[in-house]
Amino acid sequence: MKDAPVIEPIPTALLAEPLNWLFAEHYRHRQFCGLIERIAASPTLMGAEIQEALAFLRHDLPLHIVDEEDDLFPLLRRRCEPADELDRALGSLSADHRDDIEIVAQLVRLLETALRLDRPIAANVRAQRQLRAFITRERAHIALENAVVLPIARLRLTQEDLEVFSRRMAARRGLPDRPVSTSDAAS
């Protein structure tokens, strides 16, 4: 029997509320960071957990980055007012996303190597440091998005913006055009 995943799935109905989806996705990123910490510290190879981390790095993280870079950030750049002072934060987050491409490729190689050699990450101090540096960076990134970007998005984005964003996120995931939100289902 396979253990339950450490990184919880998000109900697809939440795609109808894209800002709530992103907040939930950030929670999953924190779960991922905790998983990576355990993998890096474990004296034994955590094969199933490494596979889960690899799936997140290969699938979930790239989708999240596209959600933000292709939709959320451009919407915010159009809707925000100068007083919001969001340009600098969005620039920093976009720079992180660009760097993620190379960093994630390195992390995937480290985790794949651990599996191939059947050796825990704890046996490789350099790999441990790389994973921990990524976790620190990722947590700061999530904190900035949750504390600054999402609250401003809730103030500035229109209902139409959110509906378009929702449809585009669903399409990226191969889901129907209009996800049903929990509030839609109740009516």
Side-chain angles (χ1 to χ4, degrees):
M1 184 172 146
K2 187 179 184 309
D3 291 333
V6 173
I7 304 169
E8 297 173 32
I10 301 174
T12 56
L14 197 54
L15 282 167
E17 303 169 37
L19 300 179
N20 289 339
W21 172 278
L22 291 175
F23 187 78
E25 185 67 17
H26 292 161
Y27 177 74
R28 295 179 75 239
H29 284 236
R30 289 192 301 275
Q31 290 178 320
F32 168 76
C33 289
L35 175 62
I36 290 294
E37 278 181 325
R38 289 188 298 284
I39 290 169
S42 177
T44 60
L45 182 70
M46 298 174 69
E49 292 84 354
I50 289 174
Q51 291 292 353
E52 186 175 353
L54 285 168
F56 187 86
L57 288 168
R58 290 178 178 141
H59 182 263
D60 299 287
L61 185 60
L63 271 176
H64 181 75
I65 290 170
V66 173
D67 288 340
E68 292 180 346
E69 290 296 330
D70 287 6
D71 290 306
L72 179 63
F73 295 177
L75 283 169
L76 285 170
R77 284 184 174 102
R78 280 195 302 272
R79 299 287 183 222
C80 284
E81 297 175 5
D84 294 330
E85 298 181 8
L86 199 59
D87 285 338
R88 188 173 187 193
L90 293 179
S92 174
L93 293 168
S94 288
D96 283 354
H97 289 157
R98 285 188 300 276
D99 293 344
D100 280 345
I101 295 166
E102 182 179 325
I103 293 168
V104 166
Q106 291 171 4
L107 297 184
V108 165
R109 285 192 298 273
L110 290 174
L111 295 171
E112 287 174 339
T113 299
L115 288 175
R116 189 177 67 253
L117 298 178
D118 197 25
R119 291 184 59 206
I121 296 292
N124 182 337
V125 175
R126 183 177 151 267
Q128 274 187 316
R129 263 186 289 201
Q130 285 181 282
L131 289 172
R132 287 187 176 129
F134 177 76
I135 292 166
T136 299
R137 186 174 163 275
E138 185 67 10
R139 285 181 171 146
H141 183 100
I142 293 164
L144 178 59
E145 288 184 352
N146 282 347
V148 176
V149 175
L150 290 180
I152 292 174
R154 290 183 195 287
L155 288 173
R156 300 293 181 221
L157 299 184
T158 67
Q159 187 58 40
E160 183 180 342
D161 292 337
L162 295 172
E163 288 171 6
V164 170
F165 188 15
S166 171
R167 285 193 300 274
R168 289 176 52 90
M169 289 173 68
R172 270 186 212 99
R173 290 157 178 82
L175 298 170
D177 185 35
R178 173 80 167 102
V180 177
S181 76
T182 51
S183 58
D184 291 342
S187 42

